[in-house]
Amino acid sequence: MEKNKNRLKNTLKQDWHAAEVDEVLKLTDAQRGLTDDEVRQRQEELGKNVLPTGKQVSLAAILWHQFKSPLIYVLVVAGVISLLVGEHLDAGFIGIILLINAGLGTWQEWRAESGAQSLQEMIKLKTSVMRNGTWQELDAEALVPGDVIRLESGVQVPADARLVEVNNLQVEEAMLTGESLPAHKETAAGDAQTTNAGDKKNLVYAGTTVLVGRGRAVVTATGLHTEIGKIADSLNQEDTSQTPLIERMERFSRMISVIILVAAVILGGIGWWHGMELMDLFFLAIAMVVSAIPEGLPIAMTVALSIASRRMAKRNVIVRKLSAVEGLGSCTYILSDKTGTLTVDQQTVRQIYLPDGQTLAVTGEGYNGEGEIQIDNPDSEHLHRFLRIATLANESTLEKKGEEWRYKGDAVDVALLALPYKLGSSPDEIGRETDVQREIPYESENKYSAVYYHRNGRLVFGAKGAWEVFEDKLVEDEKEQAAEMAEKMAADGLRVLAMVYSITDDDTSDLAEELHLAGLVGLIDPIRPEVKDAIAECHEAGIKIAMVTGDHPLTALAIAKEINIADGPDNLISGAELRDIEDDEATLVEVLRDKTVFARVSPAQKQKLVKAFQQRGEYVAITGDGVNDAPALRQSNVGVAMGSGTDVTRGAASIVLKDDNFASIVAGVEEGRYSYDNIRKVVFLLLSTAAAEVFLIMLSTLFGLPKPLTAVQILWLNVVTNGLQDIALVFERGEPGAMKHPPRSPEEGIFDRQMISQTVLAAFVMTALGFSLWVSWMNQGREEVSARNDLLLVMVLLQNFHAFNVRSETRSVFRIPISHNYLLLLSVFLAQGIHIAAMHIPLTQRLLEIEPESLDEWFTYFGLAALILVVSEIYKVFVRRREGREQKVG
């Protein structure tokens, strides 16, 4: 028993791709399969073939998450204090704010949260397995190492396994390796030094799909120990990263808390100096705390991110986590997958080389016959011989049914079948015109497919395969020029195939020793047409782009050069080269400075690349669609998944591109920047108003005057009248030039020099006007309640005018079309209307201690409040002039 256990443990450590078939078969009896007793023993030791699943996020957890913010903590403390001192109305206001904010955030995130069981579903399938001497259909979860399984076209591989028998077996592994082409499988032992999953040709992996052929394999790893299982396990780690917005708001909240504490101490000192009673001083401090806290900010932030997420959805960007909206707008580096993200993920012929020296360009892209072969002489015998071999030595189909192109089979074969259509013919027409005598299907051991056909009374052998297969068999006078052309095509990132032929009398012979070249063909997975412009816009926005792919280095470099994210080989590094330095963090970070193309990289290396860029101070977004991308997406600051990708990838991402379009990322970045700019506008509005309220209280206390506003009146200003306008501000369309400046540093706070100066200026104007009126009224001997009534109206009017000021920090309010935000105009009228109505409603009259104003008084205060608009417009003129001088100097 102990011996068997040790043997099973060793199976998980064995490099099975380097083992001979005989060694693999020691795991089991290939003719009989495992017995029930052996299966039971192995399941006890290694468990079932199931993947680990993360905890599904509950509605309660999402709700609780909404309260994890320092600004919320400050509000909660203020609410508790208000409750303890009997200010139930204040506490009720704060409680309503907290509930509205939590409800909005919970609703948005719950709607976007995808199912958490997608990983498990990937291997919930039936499989054909040899047990007790017979083939049985069993659930994949019943598999154990040593089971013999049968694979055939269309089935999903249920576990990692070592192939012991193949017949033209091709497996789609893009979801795991990133390879755009199917992997041709074989049984021969591989090199023990090979570590990249895509290079292990005798292994198949759980979750991949058999496209063509059949085979038999011995299971070597199940569940957690499979390649996909290792990835799944890494995804269960808790995500602790925070977006710059959250970090900035935490710093902002700490700053507000310190300011409140310092102001409370100063106020206490002033009150004590004036001989105020302790309880009066305490209630005065409560009023000041209420003034200083921007109660409307949490709701405004949540609404701003929700609005941005809806706008993104219209531009095919689905947001799963609200915080990712601003996070995408803050990213400084995008690491993009190649296949299916930058490219269309459909093999296409780009170039044909004929033995007469002609090089023909081919237009169109994807699995269809749209486009043309650009040739002066369409009747060229060289071209037609090339097309006959490409079409006849082919096991796929491509046809047009109505307006739809339908295809089946190997990706390269389908791409070749598009060529006859592009010359005005079709594969069927070529087949009807040709007398085929014998076909030789593709075998992974031979690496070519062939056909014998009659032409002009002679028997012709035609073959299609990798250039390397035929190179040494070409006649000498054709070899050198063809080799040069094949090398040039490969250097351009094209996958090179050769068509060869010979005249023969025997249709049973093997590959002839002397072959003639019928032509070379260069294929590529074409770039999405909108990608170049999208990358150019990212560069203009100060965002750096790199490609991370499992594809061949030459192919990756060619694509990168074409879309302007690489200049040459110095920008390229392969997974093999990374292995030598990836564990030395300092060296890795240094090497990455001039690298923008990462080819043949493993999932673990993708994660390390993300970490290295983050250590360089980059805020990283990474795109992907395969399972192999999921760990890196989880590690990144913003994970962006393709909508057509795997459930695993979408589950690990915070943003999903519905149309798989890289250009949609640019739209997402733009909306993210708009949302952050709008949040800054809200902060500007709330902080300048809050600062004015605090200064009013402190100055009144300093000069021995009664408090100018009660706590309830301040809450009315902050939550009701001001709250309508700050919510309306988040609907701003966005200022031009958002994509013309570099991303803000994650270390940068909400406030910069510009915003600080404007906040101070606005607070000064509101304080000066409000305090002057308050002093004047107190000197006139007016009743406090009546004077507060007028001062409250003045503050509401100041907020109304100031809401238009904050639409831009530099542009004149008169140059911003009101059509960009009709809601703001409506909110101003509504805020003023609500306040006027409150003056006439008995309940609000009592709660707020207010009364109606005459029309003359309203017009007087309206004119006085307009001063803040005048002062702001004058200041913006100076700002624009200063920026103009700085641009000239620059």
Side-chain angles (χ1 to χ4, degrees), residues 105-120:
T106 301
W107 176 74
Q108 177 69 29
E109 291 193 17
W110 178 253
R111 279 181 60 213
E113 187 61 36
S114 62
Q117 301 301 316
S118 55
L119 277 170
Q120 184 63 32

Side-chain angles (χ1 to χ4, degrees), residues 88-152:
H88 298 109
L89 189 60
D90 296 0
F93 264 120
I94 293 172
I96 291 170
I97 293 165
L98 293 173
L99 290 176
I100 292 174
N101 180 68
L104 285 170
T106 301
W107 176 74
Q108 177 69 29
E109 291 193 17
W110 178 253
R111 279 181 60 213
E113 187 61 36
S114 62
Q117 301 301 316
S118 55
L119 277 170
Q120 184 63 32
E121 294 300 319
M122 291 200 69
I123 62 169
K124 268 193 174 179
L125 46 90
K126 296 283 187 180
T127 191
S128 181
V129 57
M130 172 69 75
R131 289 276 177 85
N132 300 310
T134 62
W135 287 103
Q136 303 176 31
E137 288 291 318
L138 301 175
D139 287 337
E141 68 176 28
L143 291 178
V144 295
D147 266 325
V148 178
I149 58 174
R150 196 158 50 187
L151 303 171
E152 57 187 22

Side-chain angles (χ1 to χ4, degrees), residues 67-352:
F67 292 93
K68 292 184 177 180
S69 164
L71 194 58
I72 297 296
Y73 301 155
V74 173
L75 281 175
V76 169
V77 170
V80 171
I81 292 174
S82 298
L83 198 60
L84 291 176
V85 299
E87 295 291 334
H88 298 109
L89 189 60
D90 296 0
F93 264 120
I94 293 172
I96 291 170
I97 293 165
L98 293 173
L99 290 176
I100 292 174
N101 180 68
L104 285 170
T106 301
W107 176 74
Q108 177 69 29
E109 291 193 17
W110 178 253
R111 279 181 60 213
E113 187 61 36
S114 62
Q117 301 301 316
S118 55
L119 277 170
Q120 184 63 32
E121 294 300 319
M122 291 200 69
I123 62 169
K124 268 193 174 179
L125 46 90
K126 296 283 187 180
T127 191
S128 181
V129 57
M130 172 69 75
R131 289 276 177 85
N132 300 310
T134 62
W135 287 103
Q136 303 176 31
E137 288 291 318
L138 301 175
D139 287 337
E141 68 176 28
L143 291 178
V144 295
D147 266 325
V148 178
I149 58 174
R150 196 158 50 187
L151 303 171
E152 57 187 22
S153 179
V155 306
Q156 191 171 328
V157 180
D160 289 4
R162 170 63 158 87
L163 292 162
V164 295
E165 181 183 302
V166 297
N167 185 354
N168 189 26
L169 187 67
Q170 298 178 39
V171 181
E172 173 63 67
E173 295 181 342
M175 52 80 75
L176 188 65
T177 66
E179 286 278 10
S180 56
L181 293 172
H184 293 271
K185 294 299 181 178
E186 57 191 36
T187 60
D191 185 351
Q193 302 303 312
T194 301
T195 57
N196 193 316
D199 294 329
K200 297 177 180 180
K201 302 300 183 184
N202 53 24
L203 295 184
V204 288
Y205 303 100
T208 60
T209 304
V210 177
L211 292 182
V212 178
R214 58 187 181 276
R216 201 159 50 94
V218 175
V219 174
T220 56
T222 57
L224 184 65
H225 305 291
T226 61
E227 290 297 316
I228 191 176
K230 294 171 187 174
I231 293 173
D233 188 47
S234 70
L235 296 182
N236 285 332
Q237 299 172 8
E238 185 177 355
D239 182 13
T240 57
S241 61
Q242 291 182 321
T243 67
L245 178 62
I246 299 301
E247 293 176 352
R248 288 174 182 137
M249 294 314 299
E250 287 186 352
R251 292 196 295 269
F252 172 72
S253 300
R254 288 193 292 269
M255 179 191 75
I256 286 291
S257 300
V258 170
I259 289 174
I260 291 173
L261 182 61
V262 171
V265 171
I266 294 173
L267 188 66
I270 294 172
W272 177 80
W273 180 62
H274 279 288
M276 289 181 65
E277 294 291 333
L278 186 61
M279 189 54 66
D280 292 338
L281 190 58
F282 183 77
F283 280 110
L284 184 65
I286 288 294
M288 193 210 65
V289 168
V290 171
S291 302
I293 296 174
E295 289 91 347
L297 186 54
I299 293 177
M301 278 179 54
T302 303
V303 173
L305 297 179
S306 297
I307 294 301
S309 72
R310 287 207 295 272
R311 288 176 176 173
M312 284 182 173
K314 291 179 181 178
R315 302 175 78 172
N316 297 309
V317 182
I318 306 302
V319 177
R320 294 184 63 243
K321 295 179 181 178
L322 277 183
S323 58
V325 170
E326 188 273 337
L328 187 58
S330 297
C331 72
T332 63
Y333 218 111
I334 298 176
L335 300 178
S336 176
D337 188 33
K338 179 185 76 69
T339 305
T341 307
L342 298 173
T343 64
V344 299
D345 195 18
Q346 290 191 350
Q347 288 297 307
T348 302
V349 174
R350 272 286 168 262
Q351 202 172 87
I352 298 172

Side-chain angles (χ1 to χ4, degrees), residues 280 297 412 416 473 598 618:
D280 292 338
L297 186 54
V412 171
L416 293 174
K473 295 181 180 295
F598 305 90
E618 305 287 0

